[in-house]
Amino acid sequence: MKKYLQFSKDVERTLKNKQPVIALESTIISHGMPYPQNLEVAGRLEAIAREIGVTPATICLMDGKVKIGLEQKDLKILAKSNDVAKVSRRDIGRIIETKKVGATTVAATIIAANRAGIKVFATGGIGGVHRNAENTFDISNDLIELSRIPVIVVSAGAKAILDLPKTLEYLETMGVPVYGYRTDKFPAFYSSQSNLKVDKIDTPRQIADIYKTNIELGLNNGMLVANPIPEKYEIPFAEMEEYIDLALKKAKKNNITGREFTPFLLLEIVKITKGRSLQANIKLVENNVRLACEIAREL
Ligand code: PSU
Ligand code: MN
């Protein structure tokens, strides 16, 4: 992949100087949030990282290249155009070859980040095992890539649109460590906790140390750091459940499947909650970027 990587000046210099960098995904911009909030958020996440002294590298595919670190005009295209492809592992080659614009999911972003030498990545929520997966087989590529790409993924757990117990079981099957940041309850994205147990870790330093040990042991898997949404911004689990139900019913009625399924549900929930879920989403991503930056500095 090396010859396809195109670094921004900023990211290239920071990596060369062995200073901290974090990776950010672009699907959250193109398919995860509505315009114009998506563009504001993309800019704000980068600003938060810079304030902490960490260089943000938002990643996407453009002009036949894997871009590591974007300019404002790139972010604008991702935020506004409705001709942006959602890219997981299997889509990378096709979108590079056809020189289309591709927004990278968690899966594709960590693949690219790893090739670029970036070890920490922040997002909102990861993809996972969908409800009813026993019939649909809908399991996100994110989980597979987490098991084989040695990048630390900071997320607010997994979204309650998913089947959380099955998602955790699958991560265990695939050998992916899941750590709760200062909690032993797996966070459920909009809500700070579920009743599912995870191993608790209390400091960015400890996360960095475990990561380094894993690498020294030759275990080349990634790890998931689940960082709960700050309580004052959370939407209670039971309340979310009603909205998610509505969104799932609508998806079924409209026959939404495959890569369209997650974006459909996310935007539907924004509509149903009249933007409240979007506010929670924004707060939790910001919170994840801060933690990812602290971990990157420890590394
Ligand atoms: N979860 C969110 N917001 C998102 C996504 C997931 O809360 O924007 C996006 C991420 O890019 C994730 C992708 O990698 O959806 C997963 O899609 P799928 O379920 O189709 O694998
Ligand atoms: Mn899927």
Side-chain angles (χ1 to χ4, degrees), residues 25-33 86-88 103-109 121 123-130 138-143 157-159 161-162 189-190 258-263 266 281 284-285:
E25 60 155 312
S26 41
T27 295
I28 193 176
I29 306 172
S30 62
H31 294 76
M33 291 183 186
K86 178 181 160 195
V87 174
S88 284
T104 48
T105 59
V106 171
T109 308
F121 161 83
T123 186
I126 58 162
V129 180
H130 279 280
D138 191 342
I139 299 174
S140 177
N141 176 224
D142 291 355
L143 303 185
K159 205 163 265 170
I161 56 174
L162 301 167
F189 200 83
Y190 302 113
R259 66 165 79 89
E260 275 88 47
F261 192 56
T262 296
L266 295 180
N281 198 344
L284 66 86
V285 193

Side-chain angles (χ1 to χ4, degrees), residues 132-200:
N132 198 31
E134 61 275 31
N135 293 309
T136 62
F137 271 44
D138 191 342
I139 299 174
S140 177
N141 176 224
D142 291 355
L143 303 185
I144 313 287
E145 301 311 330
L146 261 162
S147 75
R148 58 182 173 196
I149 304 289
V151 167
I152 301 172
V153 172
V154 182
S155 87
K159 205 163 265 170
I161 56 174
L162 301 167
D163 186 319
L164 297 184
K166 284 199 185 75
T167 298
L168 282 183
E169 289 294 348
Y170 199 82
L171 285 165
E172 182 179 337
T173 299
M174 297 303 292
V176 179
V178 179
Y179 300 120
Y181 185 63
R182 299 189 177 154
T183 178
D184 62 357
K185 304 258 172 52
F186 189 58
F189 200 83
Y190 302 113
S191 329
S192 63
Q193 50 175 264
S194 64
N195 50 11
L196 301 161
K197 292 279 257 187
V198 289
D199 295 319
K200 175 168 175 271

Side-chain angles (χ1 to χ4, degrees), residues 32-227:
M33 291 183 186
Y35 179 81
Q37 287 93 338
N38 56 357
L39 185 59
E40 288 161 24
V41 171
R44 190 148 70 237
L45 298 182
E46 296 204 351
I48 289 172
R50 290 210 167 84
E51 271 168 37
I52 307 178
V54 173
T55 301
T58 306
I59 292 176
C60 78
L61 309 186
M62 227 178 241
D63 308 323
K65 297 282 181 195
V66 180
K67 282 199 161 190
I68 315 284
L70 305 183
E71 291 170 46
Q72 186 61 24
K73 68 171 182 2
D74 303 329
L75 295 177
K76 238 186 203 153
I77 293 170
L78 289 164
K80 281 180 116 162
S81 163
N82 41 31
D83 196 25
V84 176
K86 178 181 160 195
V87 174
S88 284
R89 175 186 282 264
R90 69 167 185 180
D91 310 294
I92 297 174
R94 175 175 54 90
I95 299 299
I96 291 288
E97 175 54 30
T98 55
K99 298 192 163 51
K100 292 206 166 114
V101 179
T104 48
T105 59
V106 171
T109 308
I110 60 177
I111 291 170
N114 183 45
R115 296 299 161 100
I118 302 169
K119 315 224 168 313
V120 189
F121 161 83
T123 186
I126 58 162
V129 180
H130 279 280
R131 299 181 187 200
N132 198 31
E134 61 275 31
N135 293 309
T136 62
F137 271 44
D138 191 342
I139 299 174
S140 177
N141 176 224
D142 291 355
L143 303 185
I144 313 287
E145 301 311 330
L146 261 162
S147 75
R148 58 182 173 196
I149 304 289
V151 167
I152 301 172
V153 172
V154 182
S155 87
K159 205 163 265 170
I161 56 174
L162 301 167
D163 186 319
L164 297 184
K166 284 199 185 75
T167 298
L168 282 183
E169 289 294 348
Y170 199 82
L171 285 165
E172 182 179 337
T173 299
M174 297 303 292
V176 179
V178 179
Y179 300 120
Y181 185 63
R182 299 189 177 154
T183 178
D184 62 357
K185 304 258 172 52
F186 189 58
F189 200 83
Y190 302 113
S191 329
S192 63
Q193 50 175 264
S194 64
N195 50 11
L196 301 161
K197 292 279 257 187
V198 289
D199 295 319
K200 175 168 175 271
I201 288 196
D202 290 318
T203 65
R205 179 62 181 275
Q206 226 181 331
I207 296 166
D209 285 347
I210 294 174
Y211 175 80
K212 283 190 250 176
T213 303
N214 256 358
I215 297 292
E216 281 169 15
L217 286 164
L219 300 170
N220 276 318
N221 52 269
M223 54 198 241
L224 180 62
V225 176
N227 187 28

